[in-house]
Amino acid sequence: MRRLILLSALIALTGCGKPAAPAWSGYAEGEYVYLSSPVGGSLQALNVQRGQQVAQGAALFTLDAELERGASAEARARLDAAQAQAANTAKGRRSDEIRVVQAQLAQARTQAGLAQRELERQQQLVAQGFVSAARIDEAKAAVTAAQARVAELSASLQVAQLPARVDEQRAAQAQGEAARQGLQQTLWREQQKQRSAPSSGLIADTFFRVGEWVPAGQPVLALLPAGHVKLRFFVPEAELASIAPGQAVSVACDGCGAAIKARISFIATLAEYTPPVIYSNAQRSKLVFMVEALPEGADASKLKPGLPVDVRRVAP
């Protein structure tokens, strides 16, 4: 009878114990980075393989860039030509051409001097009565013509030493800038044929083999950066008011050992039906809200994408 009483007491105490709080079912999800090139081309080299850990800046893949290299060489030649043309507009005529004008000007000044002396001689002859006054008119006309030639060549020398007009200089400079921008575009396209890792992480998958044609914008591989794993779980509508962004939760999974701490980062604003992949006898609601949480600490590396988890609130 005494043993029966003790057994009844133990059963009663066990029945009065507080049951464990029900967990919300979910899974871990990776935030992948899909690396591609905005320029299409044949896959020339794939430097990584699926499942490989890579460091930030590591070479990932290279597309054939023969066409882009040719375009860059052409654009560089156009830039050199445009810059030379712009520099030419800032200068006068060539030194040899200027020397020719200077020589012509010197010759014209000599001719003007001879014409002036001839006029003076004719004036003396007319005064002495040796020649008619008409000879003076001829000498004056020769002086006028010689002086006009001097003025013409002086103006030509001035123009030869001047640079091009302001509008022509601006046009040449604009052509040079257009050629420079064209070169930058071709160099950018050439650089896009080689991609490196934006951060350290795991190569989750590759989608092309060497030699295959890769369309522009088509991912060549998927990178899972270190720490870019989040939790997605589903909370019934009746319990939605008990959670908030920033709230701490505890995460358990098979093989993870001790519970992993996480904080809620997002709560969906639209309800959905219980996903068919979630199997839990504790969940009875048909309408649930998707919630995301970010794991904290070094234990977050235990969470692999697709791993089922159980999430519970952490008591304040």
Side-chain angles (χ1 to χ4, degrees):
M1 180 63 68
R2 185 178 298 175
R3 290 180 180 177
L4 182 60
I5 294 173
L6 290 174
L7 182 59
S8 299
L10 289 174
I11 294 175
L13 290 173
T14 303
C16 293
K18 186 177 181 181
W24 298 311
S25 297
Y27 55 89
E29 182 175 81
E31 294 182 314
Y32 298 96
V33 176
Y34 294 92
L35 295 169
S36 63
S37 170
V39 184
S42 176
L43 184 59
Q44 191 175 55
L46 184 62
N47 306 100
V48 294
Q49 58 185 357
R50 184 171 58 179
Q52 178 181 342
Q53 290 284 347
V54 295
Q56 183 178 7
L60 299 179
F61 65 87
T62 302
L63 302 183
D64 179 56
E66 187 65 28
L67 180 62
E68 284 71 23
R69 283 192 289 269
S72 297
E74 179 184 0
R76 192 173 286 107
R78 292 182 183 276
L79 175 60
D80 292 341
Q83 288 177 335
Q85 185 177 1
N88 186 56
T89 58
K91 304 174 183 177
R93 298 173 67 177
R94 292 179 299 178
S95 58
D96 293 340
E97 294 176 330
I98 291 177
R99 281 196 293 269
V100 169
V101 177
Q102 288 173 339
Q104 291 174 344
L105 177 59
Q107 183 180 5
R109 285 172 176 167
T110 301
Q111 293 293 334
L114 291 174
Q116 182 64 36
R117 287 193 292 272
E118 178 64 19
L119 173 62
E120 293 172 355
R121 190 173 69 84
Q122 293 296 331
Q123 287 174 340
Q124 292 175 359
L125 292 175
V126 168
Q128 295 173 0
F130 291 115
V131 295
S132 64
R135 297 294 296 273
I136 295 179
D137 294 336
E138 294 178 0
K140 287 182 177 179
V143 170
T144 301
Q147 290 175 346
R149 178 62 176 166
V150 170
E152 176 188 359
L153 291 173
S154 297
S156 296
L157 180 60
Q158 246 183 346
V159 171
Q161 293 173 336
L162 290 175
R165 290 182 300 180
V166 175
D167 292 342
E168 293 178 347
Q169 292 184 26
R170 289 178 179 174
Q173 292 171 358
Q175 290 177 353
E177 181 62 24
R180 184 179 297 106
Q181 294 299 327
L183 176 60
Q184 292 297 326
Q185 292 178 19
T186 56
L187 290 176
W188 179 83
R189 291 173 63 88
E190 183 178 349
Q191 293 169 357
Q192 296 306 306
K193 290 299 187 74
Q194 295 181 345
R195 298 307 304 269
S196 57
S199 63
S200 60
L202 173 72
I203 303 298
D205 203 355
T206 58
F207 309 116
F208 289 90
R209 300 185 183 91
V210 173
E212 291 182 330
W213 178 264
V214 181
Q218 185 71 27
V220 176
L221 53 86
L223 172 70
L224 180 60
H228 281 227
V229 176
K230 62 184 177 182
L231 301 168
R232 275 190 170 181
F233 54 97
F234 299 86
V235 177
E237 181 270 338
E239 302 179 44
L240 191 63
S242 63
I243 61 173
Q247 182 177 341
V249 292
S250 175
V251 182
C253 62
D254 296 338
C256 292
I260 299 173
K261 294 181 179 180
R263 289 194 177 275
I264 295 175
S265 59
F266 172 77
I267 300 175
T269 57
L270 296 177
E272 54 188 280
Y273 286 102
T274 304
V277 296
I278 302 301
Y279 300 99
S280 174
N281 291 329
Q283 291 182 339
R284 294 289 184 262
S285 293
K286 294 299 182 182
L287 286 178
V288 294
F289 285 80
M290 190 270 292
V291 179
E292 293 182 354
L294 299 178
E296 299 178 346
D299 289 339
S301 59
K302 299 177 182 179
L303 299 171
K304 306 300 181 184
L307 182 68
V309 296
D310 293 324
V311 182
R312 290 181 173 85
R313 280 190 296 267
V314 174

